[in-house]
Structures are given as structure tokens and as C-alpha cells.
Amino acid sequence: MERAPVSKSNNIALPVEIFQHALALLPLKEIYSFKRVNKEWYNLCDHAIVEHITSSGSQVHLRAGTSKNPKLCYDLDFASYDPSSNIFTFKPSPNRNELKPTFCYSKHLREIRILFGEWRGVNTTLSKYSPSDPTFGIPIKRNSDPQAQKVLRLAKLEFHKHYIESVRKVYQLDDEPSLEEGTVVSCLGDKDIVLKCHITTRLSCNIPDDQQNSEKDDECSPEGVVYSLRIEFVKVCASWLVSGTTSNFIPEESRNQIFASRFNLLDQILSEQNITKYYRYSSKVLKWILSEYDRNDQKTREMIKHILDTKGDFSIRSKFEAALEGKNVKKQNMWKYSLVARFLRDPESYDSLEDVVNRIVHTERKDISFESNNNHSSRLFRGLKPILQKIKITS
């Protein structure tokens, strides 16, 4: 029987199956951290992660609409794991199909959060499902006490320090919803996650009031249509599952590329057309990635033409990320600010993209400067403390 790594302290070696099972009982974050021990542990932990996800009952939660008032809510169960691609698949519960559909407006489809149940601070109730800024709701007047202002800034500093990108990240369905009754397929995603769904358009006059999930202050659709979602699946890599368990910055290169072989093929096909830059996670690209189309298929030629016509098929979000990185601000930091989600949901109702980017850049640089000064003051105080104690003893 194969044995797990031997402990040098007690020379006890457990069978691999028992060792992997013991690892699988740990929190996901701890299992993932053990992968850094050595190559042998790396392989053991991969099996433990699969067993953990399979047996823990953790779900992926999808919420469409604002974080405080989601309109469409879906809970997806673990469905399968593909060892050849290291991809986990989550699907809606079978009894979900028995529920009556609820409908929303197009703006709610531009603010979608996808969360894993084991992430830090995630509250998956229908009313609220992501941690809020700890300073929210604190009334601050312009001429308030300077000490209160300092406490507020320290609270903001703590918020930035413990910020988790994956928990606050917002996705958008790039496909413009149809104004005609019917159903279309749409996809969204990122480097280590892909979601496939079906958007159904209905005339609002044909929908019962109890199925129109909207508030009185919602802006009604001028076209007189509403939308519903049917989630087919969410496919993720292990790096996505772990990304929300820690507030440490996760470099882009540390994230697994989902469907890497398909993306490599697409890069080769597009390079033959002298296309070197395109938005890798647009809906049309992701639908091609999920398909089995080859370089000579008609759908491939149509996609190439679309990318050429749209000059890369870049979304507002991808342009926003590029603008931030052009000003030396990590794109991962954009989700700290609720302004970004509001802007992407309805860009025409807010400032220009450049103005919003500049506001975030200004805030990021101000917070970094404040953190640096605060750390410098702390170090200075720690250096003076022995001297002050000595003076006190002498006096």
C-alpha cells in the first residue's frame, strides 16, 4: 500500500488515502497552503481539495443586482470534477427548475456577483451577501473633530488592508439583452471562471406582479420588457475557489487559466490574422471556448470578423482595468469602490470613464501615503519608547 510522506518527528507514515482524507477535513485555505511544501505534497493536496469540495456541501452563490438588494438569487451545487482539466463544475439544484421564474431589468444583469460559500466574510442571505465598508453609515461633517477624522481614516485603512477582491468583484453580461421575446445564450468569466446562462426576454405586461422582482423606485424598462436568467453552469479552477479565503494579494500569474488548451488554440488562430490584443473573456469569445469549433469552422470565421470589426471586442470593464494599470494602480483594487459597480451598471448616468478612474487613482495614492505615514509614526514611537521610559525612571 502506498504511504504518505513520513514525519521526521515521529517517523509515522499513513496510507495515502487516509492522509488525503485527513487533509480534506481542513478548511480549503489550509489545504491550499500545504501545496507549497514540496512536489509530493502538491499532488496530495490536489486530491484533498477535490475530496473537500465533493464532500463539504459548499455552494457557489450567484446574485444579480446591487449587493444590498439583489434581484435574482441562485445557489449552485457541486456537480462534477474533470481531472484532465482540473475544472470544478457547479450547477443549480434540480428542484430549482420547479420554482417560478422571477424577472428583472437589463441594468441588474450588469451587476452580477459570484461567490463561494467558504470565502471570508460572505453572507449568502438574500438581503446581503458581501461585506460592506466598515465606515459606511458613519456621519462625518466637514468641521468635525480632527480626532474623529483620524479614527475614520484608520477604519478605512483597516478596510483596505482586509479587502478581498473576489468577494467584492462584479461581473457583467456583455451581450445586450434582446428586446424581442425569446431566449439567448450568454457567457461571462475571468481567467479561472466561466459562467454560461440563458437570458429570456418577456413583455412586462404579460408577467404577473408577484414575479416582477422590482421595487417601486426601480427605473422601469422604457421598452416594456423584463428578463429572467437560467443558469446552466459555473466552471471554476481551484485558484478561484481559494481566491476569496485570504486578503493577501494574489498575482495574476498564480491563477490557473481555465480551458488553457482552447485559449492557446484561439491565440494561434488570431495571431494568423495579426490579432494580438483582444478581450479574452467577452461573451462571444467564451462561447467559442466552450464549444468544439476548430480553425476552419464557419463560427470561428464569424468570431474573427467580430473581433476585427469591434477592434478586440473590449468591454467597458476591460477598458477600465487597462486605464487603472496605465496609471500604476492594480486592477484588482477597483472593486474596493462601490462607485465602480454603479458606473459599470449604468455608465451614461455617471462621470466619464476617465473621471471615475482619476477619482480612484487619487484615493488609492492618498491611502497609500496615509498608510506609509502611519507606519512611519508607529516605528518612530516604538523607537522613542525605551528612551521615554528611561527618562521617566531617571526623573
Side-chain angles (χ1 to χ4, degrees), residues 122-300:
V122 170
N123 179 355
T124 54
T125 61
L126 301 189
S127 59
K128 188 177 181 182
Y129 50 90
S130 63
S132 60
D133 186 333
T135 63
F136 179 80
I138 300 178
I140 294 293
K141 300 179 180 178
R142 293 184 179 274
N143 300 321
S144 63
D145 185 356
Q147 188 173 2
Q149 289 282 358
K150 185 177 180 180
V151 170
L152 177 65
R153 297 200 67 181
L154 285 172
K156 287 184 176 180
L157 183 61
E158 281 297 303
F159 168 69
H160 286 281
K161 186 185 298 182
H162 297 290
Y163 156 75
I164 302 175
E165 176 201 0
S166 297
V167 174
R168 300 185 66 87
K169 195 169 193 173
V170 176
Y171 300 87
Q172 296 81 33
L173 287 167
D174 295 330
D175 288 327
E176 192 65 30
S178 174
L179 298 180
E180 298 181 0
E181 285 194 293
T183 301
V184 297
V185 176
S186 186
C187 294
L188 59 78
D190 215 326
K191 187 173 183 179
D192 46 12
I193 178 174
V194 172
L195 174 144
K196 183 179 180 181
C197 65
H198 303 257
I199 307 174
T200 299
T201 305
R202 299 279 181 86
L203 296 177
S204 56
C205 60
N206 295 335
I207 304 300
D209 291 340
D210 62 343
Q211 292 183 25
Q212 294 195 35
N213 192 1
S214 58
E215 302 292 340
K216 293 181 179 179
D217 57 349
D218 270 339
E219 181 183 351
C220 295
S221 169
E223 297 85 7
V225 296
V226 291
Y227 304 95
S228 68
L229 276 183
R230 180 175 70 81
I231 308 301
E232 186 170 333
F233 59 70
V234 170
K235 293 181 178 289
V236 301
C237 298
S239 60
W240 183 86
L241 294 170
V242 178
S243 64
T245 62
T246 175
S247 57
N248 294 331
F249 173 70
I250 300 178
E252 189 74 10
E253 57 271 17
S254 297
R255 290 180 176 267
N256 308 124
Q257 176 62 69
I258 197 166
F259 298 110
S261 60
R262 291 289 292 170
F263 273 108
N264 290 337
L265 174 61
L266 180 58
D267 289 339
Q268 293 173 12
I269 294 172
L270 294 180
S271 65
E272 294 168 2
Q273 304 295 325
N274 297 319
I275 301 174
T276 57
K277 292 183 178 180
Y278 68 99
Y279 184 40
R280 298 169 69 85
Y281 310 113
S282 71
S283 181
K284 286 183 171 58
V285 169
L286 289 176
K287 281 187 277 189
W288 188 91
I289 292 294
L290 292 172
S291 73
E292 296 182 355
Y293 297 132
D294 207 340
R295 62 175 67 240
N296 297 320
D297 290 316
Q298 177 63 28
K299 290 293 184 180
T300 303

